[in-house]
Amino acid sequence: MADRAFRAGLARLTGGLSPAAMAAIWSDWAVHLAASPGKQALLAHKAGRKLLRFQRFALSCALTGGEGEACIAPLPQDRRFAHEGWRKPPFNLMQQAFLLTQQWWWNATTGVRGVSKANERALEFGARQALDVFSPANNPLTNPEVLERTMREGGANLVRGAANFWDDWARMVSGRPPAGVEAFRVGENIACTPGKVVYRNRLIELVQYAPATDKVRPEPVLLIPAWIMKGYILDLSPHNSMVRWLTEQGFTVFMIYWRNPGPEDRDLSMEDYRLMGPMAALDAVQTIVGPAKVHAAGYCLGGTLLAIAAAAMAREGDDRLASITFFAGQTDFSEAGELLLFINESQVSFLEDMMWEQGVLSAGQMSGAFQILRSNDLIWSRMMREYLMGERAPMTDLMAWNADGTRMPYRMHSEYLRKLFLNNELAQGKFEVEGRPVWLRDVRTPIFALGTETDHVAPWRSVYKIHNLADADVTFALTNGGHNAGVVSEPGHPRRRHRIRTTHHDARRLDPDAWMAAAELREGSWWPSWAAWLADLSGAPVDPPRMGAPGVDPDALPDAPGSYVHMK
């Protein structure tokens, strides 16, 4: 007890990162590097070569008035040095020196014989994050774009930036949302698709949405968002609401809204989430629409829970699902992206101690981890724009949703980290439901799986692994965009494209690169492709079902999106 209390207090100081885990990663690298004179000599040689390349570049710039050919280019995704000013002295020298240093540290932290692959990836990631702090792009005195703006505006940009900084600081200290969020009001201009709350238990409110067509498909769609996020990401503004769009395509739509747990919910388990989530929702949906099968779709962690539920249903002979859809939902966590870098026994036990004391993992603790994964885009680029350039990015519905955080209960999150991330039990057929393991290979229901190209949370190659796990026809779609913007990709969204291909259950499985080469490339949103897939698995249109369960007055039901979504 004393040990857990001590580590919980330490976790508050370290932001939830285990010092023991960090020390183990560093020592693994340092000890093996110390015992590798060949690697040391190679690094010294590389340092000398990089110094010579930099000197040649500097001399070339001196002789050509700053027009020397660069000796290293930023990575394609690195947009920090896109401004023209970075190609003029002395800023081009700073940029090149930083990129060469970054490249050398990559060489230093990788390829050390004896270092475990997991520790190597974590160390390389950590070194990159540390170096980003010292990027010349983050310093107002070494960033030509900031200096140019400051001179042009006489420093007014820095005054605005200071005001932005203090406003953000005051909001953070007082627990208020970011500036501009107040323009987006849940139930008014976002999450405003008409509907009713037709079922409620301790963990969920189930919303049934009003039909938008005279006839609907007999098989309803049940949307299962992740409880790590507020469900209305699938019902944002009217123009980009997946819920509204699905009703317009002639589907009856139900969606789960998860309750935001508090410390009193610390003992809720993954099994509680399965039973009170998708299983209870399925029962409620069929009470309303009758015996028709259901198209179930899970987003992110909601997709993982749906996979567990579907495997358990297959084991028991429960055939109520007409189809299964995963939006960036993982079932095999062996390549779960950069989130997996620091998931080991030391880190998980450290997080468990922190959650044990709090009862939950807070929204701030989760959002901080996700921001670190994309620090260039979500931290440094934002700070440069808002605090140095004095520009406030316009608040969007997706940004407002992202600021509306949720918590996760202690027991559930501990089981999630251990059973899925740490031990990968679902992919190995070891994840237990009601005391017995479930196998995804038992699932025969047609599957539609969506991956997004730049997903840092659920990398598309990880999502793609469903091909190797379920004995079902799998239609896989890969869209451009990230974990959220790639999913919220309504028809008419500019510059959207996706690849799609169906692999039948008895066909040869392709590796991800071969799939990429074979898949059909389509311009535009993936939503119509998914709706067409759903329609092919649906019956002829019928009259819409009644709103709510038999014997219940629809007018007496609470309006969508319900009350759980408003819980802070």
PDB file of all heavy atoms in Angstrom, residues 7 10-11 13-14 16-26 346-347 350:
ATOM      1  N   ARG A   7       4.429   5.636  -5.437  1.00  0.00           N
ATOM      2  CA  ARG A   7       4.548   5.690  -6.895  1.00  0.00           C
ATOM      3  C   ARG A   7       3.428   6.532  -7.511  1.00  0.00           C
ATOM      4  O   ARG A   7       3.633   7.177  -8.538  1.00  0.00           O
ATOM      5  CB  ARG A   7       4.549   4.272  -7.468  1.00  0.00           C
ATOM      6  CG  ARG A   7       5.838   3.518  -7.202  1.00  0.00           C
ATOM      7  CD  ARG A   7       5.942   2.272  -8.073  1.00  0.00           C
ATOM      8  NE  ARG A   7       4.936   1.279  -7.727  1.00  0.00           N
ATOM      9  CZ  ARG A   7       5.146   0.278  -6.888  1.00  0.00           C
ATOM     10  NH1 ARG A   7       6.333   0.143  -6.313  1.00  0.00           N
ATOM     11  NH2 ARG A   7       4.193  -0.594  -6.625  1.00  0.00           N
ATOM     12  N   LEU A  10       4.624   9.998  -7.221  1.00  0.00           N
ATOM     13  CA  LEU A  10       5.696  10.222  -8.192  1.00  0.00           C
ATOM     14  C   LEU A  10       5.131  10.383  -9.595  1.00  0.00           C
ATOM     15  O   LEU A  10       5.641  11.192 -10.395  1.00  0.00           O
ATOM     16  CB  LEU A  10       6.678   9.051  -8.135  1.00  0.00           C
ATOM     17  CG  LEU A  10       7.932   9.142  -9.006  1.00  0.00           C
ATOM     18  CD1 LEU A  10       8.767  10.358  -8.620  1.00  0.00           C
ATOM     19  CD2 LEU A  10       8.756   7.863  -8.878  1.00  0.00           C
ATOM     20  N   ALA A  11       4.067   9.638  -9.892  1.00  0.00           N
ATOM     21  CA  ALA A  11       3.468   9.713 -11.225  1.00  0.00           C
ATOM     22  C   ALA A  11       2.917  11.095 -11.524  1.00  0.00           C
ATOM     23  O   ALA A  11       2.941  11.551 -12.668  1.00  0.00           O
ATOM     24  CB  ALA A  11       2.357   8.668 -11.353  1.00  0.00           C
ATOM     25  N   LEU A  13       4.242  13.817 -10.671  1.00  0.00           N
ATOM     26  CA  LEU A  13       5.377  14.671 -11.017  1.00  0.00           C
ATOM     27  C   LEU A  13       5.939  14.358 -12.393  1.00  0.00           C
ATOM     28  O   LEU A  13       6.533  15.230 -13.041  1.00  0.00           O
ATOM     29  CB  LEU A  13       6.487  14.522  -9.954  1.00  0.00           C
ATOM     30  CG  LEU A  13       6.119  14.911  -8.522  1.00  0.00           C
ATOM     31  CD1 LEU A  13       7.285  14.628  -7.585  1.00  0.00           C
ATOM     32  CD2 LEU A  13       5.739  16.387  -8.459  1.00  0.00           C
ATOM     33  N   THR A  14       5.803  13.117 -12.827  1.00  0.00           N
ATOM     34  CA  THR A  14       6.397  12.692 -14.097  1.00  0.00           C
ATOM     35  C   THR A  14       5.401  12.620 -15.240  1.00  0.00           C
ATOM     36  O   THR A  14       5.762  12.196 -16.339  1.00  0.00           O
ATOM     37  CB  THR A  14       7.065  11.313 -13.935  1.00  0.00           C
ATOM     38  OG1 THR A  14       6.049  10.346 -13.640  1.00  0.00           O
ATOM     39  CG2 THR A  14       8.097  11.332 -12.828  1.00  0.00           C
ATOM     40  N   GLY A  16       2.961  10.595 -15.462  1.00  0.00           N
ATOM     41  CA  GLY A  16       2.574   9.207 -15.690  1.00  0.00           C
ATOM     42  C   GLY A  16       3.653   8.356 -16.315  1.00  0.00           C
ATOM     43  O   GLY A  16       3.448   7.160 -16.541  1.00  0.00           O
ATOM     44  N   LEU A  17       4.832   8.931 -16.617  1.00  0.00           N
ATOM     45  CA  LEU A  17       5.933   8.152 -17.176  1.00  0.00           C
ATOM     46  C   LEU A  17       6.747   7.539 -16.046  1.00  0.00           C
ATOM     47  O   LEU A  17       7.135   8.228 -15.103  1.00  0.00           O
ATOM     48  CB  LEU A  17       6.838   9.019 -18.051  1.00  0.00           C
ATOM     49  CG  LEU A  17       6.274   9.440 -19.414  1.00  0.00           C
ATOM     50  CD1 LEU A  17       7.238  10.377 -20.112  1.00  0.00           C
ATOM     51  CD2 LEU A  17       6.021   8.207 -20.286  1.00  0.00           C
ATOM     52  N   SER A  18       7.040   6.260 -16.147  1.00  0.00           N
ATOM     53  CA  SER A  18       7.780   5.550 -15.112  1.00  0.00           C
ATOM     54  C   SER A  18       9.266   5.846 -15.208  1.00  0.00           C
ATOM     55  O   SER A  18       9.897   5.535 -16.231  1.00  0.00           O
ATOM     56  CB  SER A  18       7.545   4.043 -15.253  1.00  0.00           C
ATOM     57  OG  SER A  18       8.472   3.322 -14.479  1.00  0.00           O
ATOM     58  N   PRO A  19       9.872   6.437 -14.166  1.00  0.00           N
ATOM     59  CA  PRO A  19      11.326   6.656 -14.202  1.00  0.00           C
ATOM     60  C   PRO A  19      12.100   5.356 -14.334  1.00  0.00           C
ATOM     61  O   PRO A  19      13.137   5.305 -15.001  1.00  0.00           O
ATOM     62  CB  PRO A  19      11.607   7.336 -12.850  1.00  0.00           C
ATOM     63  CG  PRO A  19      10.302   7.930 -12.431  1.00  0.00           C
ATOM     64  CD  PRO A  19       9.257   6.998 -12.954  1.00  0.00           C
ATOM     65  N   ALA A  20      11.595   4.287 -13.719  1.00  0.00           N
ATOM     66  CA  ALA A  20      12.281   3.000 -13.819  1.00  0.00           C
ATOM     67  C   ALA A  20      12.275   2.490 -15.258  1.00  0.00           C
ATOM     68  O   ALA A  20      13.275   1.953 -15.752  1.00  0.00           O
ATOM     69  CB  ALA A  20      11.621   1.985 -12.898  1.00  0.00           C
ATOM     70  N   ALA A  21      11.147   2.655 -15.948  1.00  0.00           N
ATOM     71  CA  ALA A  21      11.078   2.221 -17.346  1.00  0.00           C
ATOM     72  C   ALA A  21      12.016   3.039 -18.212  1.00  0.00           C
ATOM     73  O   ALA A  21      12.717   2.493 -19.081  1.00  0.00           O
ATOM     74  CB  ALA A  21       9.639   2.339 -17.852  1.00  0.00           C
ATOM     75  N   MET A  22      12.060   4.355 -17.974  1.00  0.00           N
ATOM     76  CA  MET A  22      12.960   5.205 -18.758  1.00  0.00           C
ATOM     77  C   MET A  22      14.419   4.841 -18.499  1.00  0.00           C
ATOM     78  O   MET A  22      15.242   4.779 -19.421  1.00  0.00           O
ATOM     79  CB  MET A  22      12.724   6.684 -18.415  1.00  0.00           C
ATOM     80  CG  MET A  22      11.316   7.196 -18.700  1.00  0.00           C
ATOM     81  SD  MET A  22      10.829   7.062 -20.422  1.00  0.00           S
ATOM     82  CE  MET A  22       9.748   5.631 -20.327  1.00  0.00           C
ATOM     83  N   ALA A  23      14.740   4.584 -17.232  1.00  0.00           N
ATOM     84  CA  ALA A  23      16.114   4.218 -16.879  1.00  0.00           C
ATOM     85  C   ALA A  23      16.503   2.889 -17.509  1.00  0.00           C
ATOM     86  O   ALA A  23      17.638   2.714 -17.976  1.00  0.00           O
ATOM     87  CB  ALA A  23      16.264   4.153 -15.361  1.00  0.00           C
ATOM     88  N   ALA A  24      15.577   1.945 -17.543  1.00  0.00           N
ATOM     89  CA  ALA A  24      15.873   0.638 -18.136  1.00  0.00           C
ATOM     90  C   ALA A  24      16.140   0.770 -19.634  1.00  0.00           C
ATOM     91  O   ALA A  24      17.039   0.114 -20.173  1.00  0.00           O
ATOM     92  CB  ALA A  24      14.719  -0.316 -17.879  1.00  0.00           C
ATOM     93  N   ILE A  25      15.358   1.609 -20.294  1.00  0.00           N
ATOM     94  CA  ILE A  25      15.554   1.827 -21.733  1.00  0.00           C
ATOM     95  C   ILE A  25      16.919   2.455 -21.994  1.00  0.00           C
ATOM     96  O   ILE A  25      17.690   1.998 -22.854  1.00  0.00           O
ATOM     97  CB  ILE A  25      14.424   2.714 -22.292  1.00  0.00           C
ATOM     98  CG1 ILE A  25      13.094   1.961 -22.262  1.00  0.00           C
ATOM     99  CG2 ILE A  25      14.738   3.184 -23.703  1.00  0.00           C
ATOM    100  CD1 ILE A  25      11.886   2.835 -22.537  1.00  0.00           C
ATOM    101  N   TRP A  26      17.228   3.498 -21.224  1.00  0.00           N
ATOM    102  CA  TRP A  26      18.504   4.199 -21.428  1.00  0.00           C
ATOM    103  C   TRP A  26      19.686   3.296 -21.101  1.00  0.00           C
ATOM    104  O   TRP A  26      20.677   3.254 -21.843  1.00  0.00           O
ATOM    105  CB  TRP A  26      18.548   5.463 -20.560  1.00  0.00           C
ATOM    106  CG  TRP A  26      19.836   6.205 -20.722  1.00  0.00           C
ATOM    107  CD1 TRP A  26      20.135   7.139 -21.674  1.00  0.00           C
ATOM    108  CD2 TRP A  26      21.014   6.061 -19.921  1.00  0.00           C
ATOM    109  NE1 TRP A  26      21.417   7.590 -21.524  1.00  0.00           N
ATOM    110  CE2 TRP A  26      21.995   6.942 -20.447  1.00  0.00           C
ATOM    111  CE3 TRP A  26      21.346   5.283 -18.815  1.00  0.00           C
ATOM    112  CZ2 TRP A  26      23.264   7.057 -19.911  1.00  0.00           C
ATOM    113  CZ3 TRP A  26      22.618   5.382 -18.280  1.00  0.00           C
ATOM    114  CH2 TRP A  26      23.570   6.270 -18.820  1.00  0.00           C
ATOM    115  N   SER A 346       6.935  -2.345 -16.374  1.00  0.00           N
ATOM    116  CA  SER A 346       7.257  -1.241 -15.470  1.00  0.00           C
ATOM    117  C   SER A 346       6.302  -0.070 -15.668  1.00  0.00           C
ATOM    118  O   SER A 346       5.777   0.493 -14.699  1.00  0.00           O
ATOM    119  CB  SER A 346       8.710  -0.789 -15.698  1.00  0.00           C
ATOM    120  OG  SER A 346       9.018   0.335 -14.906  1.00  0.00           O
ATOM    121  N   GLN A 347       6.062   0.286 -16.930  1.00  0.00           N
ATOM    122  CA  GLN A 347       5.202   1.432 -17.208  1.00  0.00           C
ATOM    123  C   GLN A 347       3.748   1.143 -16.848  1.00  0.00           C
ATOM    124  O   GLN A 347       3.057   1.991 -16.273  1.00  0.00           O
ATOM    125  CB  GLN A 347       5.307   1.814 -18.684  1.00  0.00           C
ATOM    126  CG  GLN A 347       4.442   2.997 -19.085  1.00  0.00           C
ATOM    127  CD  GLN A 347       4.782   4.257 -18.340  1.00  0.00           C
ATOM    128  OE1 GLN A 347       5.949   4.666 -18.300  1.00  0.00           O
ATOM    129  NE2 GLN A 347       3.810   4.892 -17.719  1.00  0.00           N
ATOM    130  N   PHE A 350       3.230   1.260 -13.149  1.00  0.00           N
ATOM    131  CA  PHE A 350       3.312   2.651 -12.698  1.00  0.00           C
ATOM    132  C   PHE A 350       1.989   3.367 -12.946  1.00  0.00           C
ATOM    133  O   PHE A 350       1.465   4.074 -12.072  1.00  0.00           O
ATOM    134  CB  PHE A 350       4.458   3.344 -13.436  1.00  0.00           C
ATOM    135  CG  PHE A 350       4.905   4.640 -12.809  1.00  0.00           C
ATOM    136  CD1 PHE A 350       5.550   4.654 -11.582  1.00  0.00           C
ATOM    137  CD2 PHE A 350       4.714   5.844 -13.463  1.00  0.00           C
ATOM    138  CE1 PHE A 350       5.982   5.844 -11.017  1.00  0.00           C
ATOM    139  CE2 PHE A 350       5.141   7.031 -12.908  1.00  0.00           C
ATOM    140  CZ  PHE A 350       5.775   7.033 -11.682  1.00  0.00           C
TER     141      PHE A 350
END
